[in-house]
Amino acid sequence: MAAIVVSLASSLASTSPSSSSSLVFRKLRSTPLLGLSFAVTPLCCRRGKRMAHSLARASLGLTHPVQIDPPKISFSAKEIDVVEWKGDILAVGVTEKDMVKDENLKFQNPILKKLDSHLSGLLAEASLEEDFNGKAGQSTVLRLSGIGSKRVGLIGLGQSSSTTATYQSLGESVAAAAKASQASNVAIVIASPEELSAESKLHTASAIVSGTVLGTFEDNRFKSESKKSSLTSVDILGLGTGSDLEKKLKYTEDVCSGIILGKELVNAPANVLTPGVLAEEASKIASMYGDVISATILDVEQCKELKMGSYLGVAAASENPPHFIHLCYKPPSGPVKTKLALVGKGLTFDSGGYNIKTGPGCIIELMKFDMGGSAAVLGAAKALGQIKPAGVEVHFIVAACENMISGTGMRPGDIVTASNGKTIEVNNTDAEGRLTLADALVYACNQGVEKIVDLATLTGACRVALGPSIAGVFTPSDDLAKEVMAASEVSGEKLWRLPLEESYWESMKSGVADMVNTGDRQGGAITAALFLKQFVDEKVQWMHIDIAGPVWNEKKKTATGFGISTLVEWVLKNSS
């Protein structure tokens, strides 16, 4: 691509040595409008000032995250009698059916019956007194002597225990119980493992481990005081043993490490996580997994050379310069059969620009999470760097910047030109994410990929339509929809496919440019997806996932790491 564009940097370099800074300014002003913003300051001085300011911004408010190591828990799969296990807590996942008792108020479930016989009936008695009947969300931890475990915990799984989310919730409940009692050794058993197939046992163990790891993790980097979890080991009982299960548990831990990174990136405030710092985090991933991942970080001048006017128009108002991030995963050996791209929206802060976010529900104070798509992409990169799937090449692309307000900022009514030559009339500066994604999608197509999935906290409309737990999916490809939906079934993340209604594009037409960046308020998530579609090669299978709802857990006031598990699973399904 670089070979066929006009390089603004090279045209500047051809200016005679005697040229003054004013001549440089005139040269810039004579360049065709690309949605870029220029200043009178000579380029060399501007770079120095921006670098100094970027470093200053990284410590704005004197805030620096404390380095906290993620929880280190060893997981083992064992086949031993539950009453013989020795440790702090024996946690039993039970359905409502498992809790049924006979006329003598004795458990009928074999595992609960055995436990209760060693506890002289105290488990059944306590469950009645606690009114514990196995409903989802119920849990009770009892200190009872008579078996190897110091405590017995009953965790409700609901009417049935067939979903990934159910077992993840079991792991989270165990993590909470371990924290409350300062337990270091825990065992987890399902009351009715005989109902699970061999494959289901693998997925169940994986979900339990995922829930336990993520339930143990707390992002305390910005707290003056914090307590560490004492949980160090977890035994999974009754779900089998062997190499297949061990590989599954290792895979799960790798994915969790990516999810934890994604959570930390989204949780980090905008005065700490600037576009430059996000680029540094991406570079760290490439450094850690240099055998399979390489990094390319494009600066402003390189983005100008690629004519990324849509992206740079959004970044123009910020003192923190944009950084275009491109990581590339290649397998350590063997041929590449499939090339994929994961594109994430990377707005480290979104003020709304001149269409500033105001009024109830605008959640401007949470706009640090507007880079949730990029966090998902980078989290997936970290996980895949550890898993090292064969036969697949993956490009991780983020157009990182801030959407701020200043005299150099993009104004409503401005026309910007994307790198594929299409012009956009900006009728709303708060619809900025799609402008950055436009150039990122063009860049991704130019990498020769066959399939692209982009993730973005793109529209409030999608959040209104699907609520806080479900992401909206848009794609013209039924095959790609099936692939990603199948991956989400395994991950337990909730996706819902919405239509790409082409007739809605009528509201996106401009009288003076190729398109506007926002259409009618109705169907806003659909028109946003239709906008992105204009920047994807027709030969490339493409999906847009709007994660505006599930990126953040309002109840826990923390990031969710949504999308990472599904992305990794999808990449693996495309590997050989």
Side-chain angles (χ1 to χ4, degrees), residues 36 298 303 306-312 324 417 419 439 443:
L36 311 180
L298 304 182
C303 291
L306 296 178
K307 297 187 176 180
M308 295 182 177
S310 186
Y311 163 47
L312 293 177
F324 192 94
T417 305
S419 48
D439 282 325
Y443 183 94

Side-chain angles (χ1 to χ4, degrees), residues 65-121:
V66 176
Q67 182 64 41
I68 297 178
D69 294 328
K72 293 181 180 179
I73 308 170
S74 82
F75 292 89
S76 302
K78 297 180 178 179
E79 287 289 353
I80 61 173
D81 196 317
V82 291
V83 297
E84 299 296 328
W85 182 84
K86 290 180 171 58
D88 294 325
I89 300 177
L90 173 67
V92 187
V94 296
T95 64
E96 293 178 43
K97 180 182 175 182
D98 295 326
M99 293 299 296
V100 172
K101 302 176 182 68
D102 61 21
E103 64 275 7
N104 297 316
L105 300 181
K106 301 293 185 182
F107 288 113
Q108 297 183 27
N109 176 271
I111 287 180
L112 294 177
K113 189 174 184 178
K114 175 179 279 192
L115 279 171
D116 208 29
S117 67
H118 282 75
L119 295 169
S120 304

Side-chain angles (χ1 to χ4, degrees), residues 21 176 183 216 268 301 466 471:
S21 60
T216 304
E301 297 304 319
L466 299 178

Side-chain angles (χ1 to χ4, degrees), residues 25 65 88 90 147 175 236-237 242 258 361 376 407 426 488 498 512 524 537 568 576:
F25 176 60
D88 294 325
L90 173 67
I147 59 174
I236 310 295
L237 308 183
V426 181
S488 73
L498 294 168
V512 292
D537 192 308
V568 174
S576 59

